Amino acid sequence: MQHLLQYIRFRGKPQEYAVFLTLAYTGLRIGELLALKVSDFNEEEKTISVKKNLYVDGSVKNYVLGPPKNDSSVRTVTIGESVIKAIKGQFAWRESKINNGELQHDADFIFWSLKFPGYPACYSRYQKRFEKILKDCGLPDNLTPHSLRHTHVSLLAEAKEELAVILERLGHKNDEITKTIYLHITEQQRKLVPDRFEQVMNS
């Protein structure tokens, strides 16, 4: 993950670092991320409000904002300084586009289409770019932007976060994939319990 994000930060195209870092650090679905508007970001509270999902029919000019995947997907996700910094960098990039007179559609999206500034960014573009970036980084090219969501689960499990907290963060009520990832990681942790106990007893 570190290798991937560092590559994108220094060699990626505009917005890509903010997009992929935010996906990796929040576990959002990419449709939820691309639907975010400026009003959904609260720097003071350190949160992102997930209330909608982006659907695109052919062209980003034909976008529709619909509800998230399910009722539990409507949520408030806490964020740290890395995401806040990335989003504020995105705001600065957007402002430069506006000042240059490039804005074509004023709908307050955080992430824009590069071809049609102001319209939302399109999932298919990031899917293709992710494939190329993985190849350039020497990482498995069968991954997708959604894989960052699964990685988010894995890293939270390794950090010993509770399953209920992870499910709430991802907007899941009862997701078997998330549980499988979580239990796989925590099983590895359970195997270390005897060694940890002996270390305490011997200290």
Side-chain angles (χ1 to χ4, degrees):
M1 182 70 79
Q2 293 282 13
H3 174 54
L4 175 70
L5 292 176
Q6 284 296 96
Y7 180 92
I8 297 170
R9 181 180 181 183
F10 294 108
R11 302 185 65 179
K13 296 185 177 181
Q15 300 190 116
E16 289 180 347
Y17 180 68
V19 166
F20 292 124
L21 180 136
T22 304
L23 287 175
Y25 277 61
T26 63
L28 265 63
R29 301 176 181 92
I30 192 163
E32 295 171 340
L33 179 86
L34 299 182
L36 291 176
K37 297 197 174 188
V38 173
S39 58
D40 296 319
F41 170 69
N42 189 321
E43 181 181 0
E44 184 177 342
E45 296 294 327
K46 296 186 175 182
T47 60
I48 289 174
S49 297
V50 179
K51 299 177 284 190
K52 50 199 173 297
N53 198 68
L54 178 72
Y55 302 92
V56 174
D57 183 13
S59 167
V60 291
K61 289 189 174 183
N62 299 322
Y63 73 86
V64 174
L65 292 178
K69 189 174 181 180
N70 49 56
D71 290 343
S72 59
S73 295
V74 177
R75 63 202 188 278
T76 300
V77 177
T78 53
I79 54 176
E81 291 302 323
S82 295
V83 173
I84 290 171
K85 187 175 179 180
I87 290 178
K88 288 177 73 173
Q90 177 67 13
F91 287 166
W93 178 82
R94 289 167 74 258
E95 190 66 26
S96 69
K97 291 285 185 182
I98 293 171
N99 291 339
N100 289 338
E102 298 179 45
L103 186 67
Q104 296 184 22
H105 179 67
D106 190 3
D108 219 24
F109 288 104
I110 293 178
F111 301 103
W112 287 358
S113 162
L114 295 182
K115 189 174 181 181
F116 306 110
Y119 284 93
C122 183
Y123 169 76
S124 61
R125 178 189 180 278
Y126 284 98
Q127 169 80 31
K128 291 174 183 175
R129 283 291 299 155
F130 197 68
E131 291 173 4
K132 184 178 188 311
I133 290 167
L134 289 171
K135 184 176 180 181
D136 292 345
C137 287
L139 296 171
D141 59 5
N142 61 333
L143 302 174
T144 69
H146 195 73
S147 302
L148 297 175
R149 183 171 164 87
H150 293 169
T151 303
H152 189 71
V153 174
S154 298
L155 293 176
L156 287 177
E158 285 188 16
K160 303 180 179 62
E161 189 55 80
E162 295 180 12
L163 177 59
V165 173
I166 296 175
L167 288 172
E168 181 185 25
R169 184 171 178 81
L170 298 184
H172 285 158
K173 274 190 176 178
N174 185 19
D175 184 80
E176 291 305 318
I177 295 175
T178 301
K179 285 183 177 179
T180 300
I181 295 171
Y182 179 85
L183 294 174
H184 173 71
I185 298 296
T186 52
E187 178 60 30
Q188 295 173 9
Q189 296 295 325
R190 278 195 286 270
K191 289 178 182 178
L192 298 175
V193 169
D195 291 339
R196 291 195 191 112
F197 182 82
E198 293 213 14
Q199 286 174 4
V200 171
M201 291 298 295
N202 294 332
S203 64

